[in-house]
Amino acid sequence: MEPSNLTRRLKDLEDNIKKDFALLKDYEDALRDEDDPRRKGKYNRAIEQLRESANRYQQEYDQLHQQITGEPTVQMQSVAIQLQQMNSRLYRLSAGQKAIYENINHLRQGLLAYYDAGEKNIIFAITERLNESQITTISALLDAIESNKVSDAEMQNILPSIQEGLSILQQRGVTFPGSQGEIVEVINAPQMDFKHRLKVAVPIIPFILDYEGELELGTGINLKEALKQFMARPRLIGG
């Protein structure tokens, strides 16, 4: 290969690596501050595309390196360093995301432990969409319900709000993950134990809160405020 062609290809490769490295840092910063699972998924997919690009850059660099006789040029060494930095950052990010995923998965399994096998099948897909904070909050509420730390009067206040919010979402064509028909059937089944119905309904709260400003629930119960009050009570955390 002509030296000028080699220099130009290396320059293009170097520019592409710099641009992707800057993007990677931006995505990493955004991902660190993001709680929404959907946007997190978007950033993770973008990072995966950068990982694929880094693999292509490495292959191109290796091909160019084979065409050089003698010692690597300063330009070749510079590109090699940038590739190493990008690969190292991708590796650290991957390791960090794996640790986060394992922690969230552990929390999710703890949440699902409140349900029997049939109920787990109904709400599993919903729990997959909850972030760490939501899982922690819902688990605390489930523990309070299971431990009879939420009174019958309180339960009978919050379930109608969930039912109404869900009904409005259905009317507007909004769906949430999971077996929606089965969930609605359980929540609205008057012959079933009230506590049982509320336990199945609780994981839906975050999805209803996403539309809180638009719903204007006729029950007069503010779900977000009710949830805050539940979590603020020492007896939900202690005993």
Side-chain angles (χ1 to χ4, degrees):
M1 179 183 296
E2 291 292 329
S4 59
N5 290 337
L6 177 61
T7 300
R8 185 170 60 253
R9 285 187 62 182
L10 280 171
K11 180 65 168 61
D12 291 342
L13 180 57
E14 188 173 22
D15 289 344
N16 288 334
I17 294 172
K18 285 181 178 178
K19 290 176 184 177
D20 279 7
F21 190 66
L23 275 176
L24 179 60
K25 290 193 290 185
D26 289 343
Y27 289 143
E28 185 177 8
D29 291 340
L31 190 59
R32 187 182 300 114
D33 299 328
E34 185 56 69
D35 288 327
D36 189 291
R38 289 165 293 188
R39 287 195 287 269
K40 274 192 171 186
K42 179 180 177 181
Y43 289 132
N44 281 323
R45 287 190 294 273
I47 290 171
E48 189 57 36
Q49 290 176 351
L50 291 179
R51 193 186 310 279
E52 294 172 0
S53 294
N55 290 336
R56 290 195 299 270
Y57 297 152
Q58 185 65 59
Q59 291 173 3
E60 184 174 358
Y61 173 84
D62 292 341
Q63 291 172 0
L64 294 174
H65 190 272
Q66 292 174 0
Q67 300 176 41
I68 292 179
T69 57
E71 293 295 320
T73 64
V74 173
Q75 189 179 24
M76 285 291 292
Q77 293 174 344
S78 175
V79 172
I81 290 172
Q82 290 176 41
L83 267 174
Q84 183 180 21
Q85 290 174 339
M86 186 168 183
N87 286 326
S88 295
R89 198 176 197 94
L90 283 166
Y91 176 80
R92 290 197 303 271
L93 184 58
S94 177
Q97 287 301 107
K98 181 180 179 182
I100 291 172
Y101 172 80
E102 289 176 348
N103 181 56
I104 292 178
N105 189 54
H106 175 74
L107 292 173
R108 186 176 293 116
Q109 293 304 314
L111 188 155
L112 288 171
Y114 288 98
Y115 300 94
D116 61 30
E119 294 165 344
K120 287 178 183 177
N121 291 334
I122 293 176
I123 68 167
F124 176 80
I126 292 177
T127 65
E128 288 286 304
R129 292 282 296 277
L130 300 177
N131 62 37
E132 183 175 353
S133 175
Q134 291 168 336
I135 293 173
T136 301
T137 299
I138 296 304
S139 294
L141 185 51
L142 286 170
D143 181 65
I145 295 170
E146 190 77 11
S147 304
N148 297 316
K149 295 177 181 177
V150 180
S151 69
D152 289 345
E154 289 170 323
M155 288 193 290
Q156 289 170 9
N157 273 331
I158 196 168
L159 183 59
S161 296
I162 298 174
Q163 291 171 315
E164 185 175 354
L166 182 56
S167 176
I168 295 173
L169 292 183
Q170 287 181 303
Q171 292 171 15
R172 297 184 181 180
V174 177
T175 60
F176 54 86
S179 181
Q180 187 162 324
E182 291 183 271
I183 292 173
V184 172
E185 184 178 349
V186 171
I187 293 174
N188 293 332
Q191 73 276 14
M192 288 192 175
D193 178 72
F194 197 89
K195 181 187 291 187
H196 174 84
R197 293 162 62 193
L198 182 59
K199 281 176 57 182
V200 174
V202 161
I204 304 171
I205 292 177
F207 296 94
I208 295 176
L209 292 182
D210 282 345
Y211 296 87
E212 181 191 31
E214 305 171 23
L215 294 182
E216 300 179 354
L217 299 180
T219 59
I221 299 295
N222 184 315
L223 277 178
K224 181 179 287 186
E225 188 59 35
L227 205 57
K228 284 182 180 179
Q229 290 178 9
F230 278 132
M231 294 304 295
R233 296 187 316 189
R235 63 194 180 103
L236 286 189
I237 301 172

